[in-house]
């Protein structure tokens, strides 16, 4: 009897080793710091790990530089308020920062001094997301589209000269990222697909549909496993979801439901975690990466209505987000494509930087 009991015990132990439970990280709010002044709308967040700073695209308030040690805004990048900043792209290789602006310009500045370089550069219609491709030393900027499609403006990082445009069939290109080997991937919200672009020839080389991913919006790369992580807002047939796409074949290998109104997708290779920030559902979904094609929901943190812009500090692993107290004023235009009650009015002195940490 004792012998069989030991055998059973060993068997049970081996099962536990082979099938570990997925740990609860316990992500929670660590601090919240209000930024005094007018609020207005906002868009992208970018962490400067070396400078321990957070760049905030505060639209008509401009590109604000928030010091993460003192929890204070230490700089407003000149000539970004008039352009209405959507956020920053940081390129330490060239001591360069770029503010992408709603008026279709980019405002270059030096990372070391935070001083602007010359005048804003006009690229086209509204400049939204942007990414730097180290393989070609080029900057790719999403411009607002029309019924014929949309353009990616291509800028040489060394000279800040526009070298061309990539014509996309999508009218609503959104987030983009690179594999650092000459390929750029763009989420298409209206086509519910992903475009692959050759960063050297500036040509679209593939358009992959994303079944199970309605309104493809957020995008981040896992270049080690050659996977594309997608945040999907959902549609009448498909719930908001997280989707994983093979970056070589375009095949969707995993989907799972998330909160509504996705904007941000963050992947951290050290933690083996994918984070999806959702402003309408007011949750941060966290998934564990088991392997390239296997993912498990770990937890869903309740955040705040409208909190859609997130960024992670690659060294401290803290997550930063922004939001403000808002209301949907029925007498003004409401972006009903996002939510019937999407906020269009924000109250002064309520714009806040939130910091999240693990337990």
């Amino acid at each position: 009897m004792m012998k069989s009991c030991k055998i059973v015990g060993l068997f049970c132990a081996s099962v536990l080793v082979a099938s570990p439970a997925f740990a609860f990280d316990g992500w929670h709010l660590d601090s919240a710091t209000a930024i005094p002044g007018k609020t207005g709308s906002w868009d992208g967040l970018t962490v400067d790990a070396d400078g321990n700073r957070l760049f905030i695209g505060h639209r008509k308030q401009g590109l604000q530089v928030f010091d993460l040690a003192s929890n204070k805004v230490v700089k407003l990048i000149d000539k970004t308020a008039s352009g209405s900043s959507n956020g920053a792209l940081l390129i330490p290789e060239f001591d360069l920062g770029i503010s992408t602006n709603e008026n279709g310009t980019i405002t270059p500045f030096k990372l070391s001094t935070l001083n602007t370089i010359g005048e804003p550069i006009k690229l086209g219609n509204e400049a939204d997301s942007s990414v730097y491709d180290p393989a070609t030393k080029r900057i790719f900027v999403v411009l607002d589209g029309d019924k014929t499609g949309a353009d990616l403006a291509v800028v040489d990082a060394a000279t800040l000269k526009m070298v061309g445009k990539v014509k996309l069939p999508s009218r609503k290109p959104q987030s983009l990222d690179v594999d650092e080997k000459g390929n750029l991937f763009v989420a298409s919200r209206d086509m519910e697909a992903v475009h692959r672009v050759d960063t050297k020839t500036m040509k679209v080389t593939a358009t992959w549909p994303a079944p199970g991913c309605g309104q493809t919006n957020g995008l981040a790369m896992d270049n080690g496993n050659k996977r594309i992580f997608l945040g999907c807002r959902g549609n009448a047939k498909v719930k908001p979801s997280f989707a994983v796409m093979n970056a070589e074949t375009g095949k969707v290998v995993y989907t799972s439901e998330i909160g509504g109104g996705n904007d941000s997708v963050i992947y951290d290779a050290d933690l083996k975690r994918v984070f999806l920030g959702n402003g309408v559902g007011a949750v941060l979904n966290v998934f564990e990466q088991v392997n390239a094609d296997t993912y498990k929901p770990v937890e869903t943190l309740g955040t705040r209505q409208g909190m859609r812009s997130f960024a992670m500090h690659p060294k401290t692993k803290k997550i930063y987000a922004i939001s403000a107290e808002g209301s949907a004023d029925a007498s003004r235009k409401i972006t009903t494509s996002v939510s019937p009650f999407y906020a269009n009015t924000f109250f002064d002195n309520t714009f806040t930087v939130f910091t999240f940490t693990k337990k």
Side-chain angles (χ1 to χ4, degrees), residues 138-191:
R138 290 171 171 172
I139 300 165
F140 291 79
V141 183
V142 173
L143 302 178
D144 196 27
D146 55 28
K147 62 182 180 180
T148 66
D151 291 325
L152 298 178
V154 187
V155 178
D156 179 76
T159 64
L160 295 176
K161 301 293 185 182
M162 188 162 69
V163 297
K165 289 184 177 180
V166 180
K167 189 66 176 181
L168 298 175
S170 170
R171 291 179 294 173
K172 287 287 185 182
Q174 296 297 310
S175 304
L176 68 172
D177 206 349
V178 296
D179 65 2
E180 301 186 356
K181 295 182 179 180
N183 293 300
L184 168 76
F185 300 90
V186 189
S188 166
R189 187 194 298 172
D190 59 310
M191 295 180 66

Side-chain angles (χ1 to χ4, degrees), residues 18-247:
S19 303
F22 293 94
F24 173 68
D25 292 339
W27 290 92
H28 65 279
L29 180 64
D30 181 72
S31 64
T33 305
I35 297 177
K38 289 188 175 297
T39 298
S41 62
W42 62 88
D43 199 7
L45 283 182
T46 306
V47 171
D48 171 18
D50 294 333
N52 201 33
R53 301 175 292 198
L54 184 68
F55 287 79
I56 304 170
H58 201 170
R59 292 201 167 139
K60 290 182 180 180
Q61 313 310 312
L63 182 63
Q64 296 174 317
V65 186
F66 184 83
D67 181 79
L68 294 173
S70 64
N71 285 330
K72 293 180 180 179
V73 172
V74 295
K75 179 77 172 180
L76 175 67
I77 302 298
D78 193 28
K79 302 173 184 176
T80 59
S82 58
S84 190
S85 178
N86 270 324
L89 172 67
L90 308 181
I91 312 173
E93 179 182 350
F94 290 98
D95 187 25
L96 178 65
I98 296 288
S99 172
T100 57
N101 306 317
E102 283 194 300
N103 69 351
T105 67
I106 58 171
T107 305
F109 60 92
K110 282 190 172 293
L111 264 178
S112 55
T113 65
L114 301 179
N115 293 328
T116 55
I117 303 170
E119 294 298 316
I121 301 166
K122 184 68 172 178
L123 299 180
N125 297 325
E126 178 181 348
D128 193 359
S129 305
S130 59
V131 71
Y132 172 65
D133 175 43
T136 57
K137 314 296 184 186
R138 290 171 171 172
I139 300 165
F140 291 79
V141 183
V142 173
L143 302 178
D144 196 27
D146 55 28
K147 62 182 180 180
T148 66
D151 291 325
L152 298 178
V154 187
V155 178
D156 179 76
T159 64
L160 295 176
K161 301 293 185 182
M162 188 162 69
V163 297
K165 289 184 177 180
V166 180
K167 189 66 176 181
L168 298 175
S170 170
R171 291 179 294 173
K172 287 287 185 182
Q174 296 297 310
S175 304
L176 68 172
D177 206 349
V178 296
D179 65 2
E180 301 186 356
K181 295 182 179 180
N183 293 300
L184 168 76
F185 300 90
V186 189
S188 166
R189 187 194 298 172
D190 59 310
M191 295 180 66
E192 302 186 340
V194 173
H195 304 297
R196 184 183 66 193
V197 175
D198 185 310
T199 57
K200 184 176 181 181
T201 65
M202 297 184 289
K203 301 291 184 183
V204 176
T205 57
T207 296
W208 293 322
C213 180
Q215 294 195 77
T216 314
N217 200 74
L219 184 149
M221 297 295 299
D222 170 11
N223 288 329
N225 288 303
K226 300 178 181 178
R227 294 294 181 267
I228 306 168
F229 300 133
L230 301 171
C232 316
R233 290 189 173 181
N235 55 35
K237 297 181 179 179
V238 182
K239 291 182 178 180
S241 61
F242 165 48
V244 181
M245 177 180 282
N246 185 307

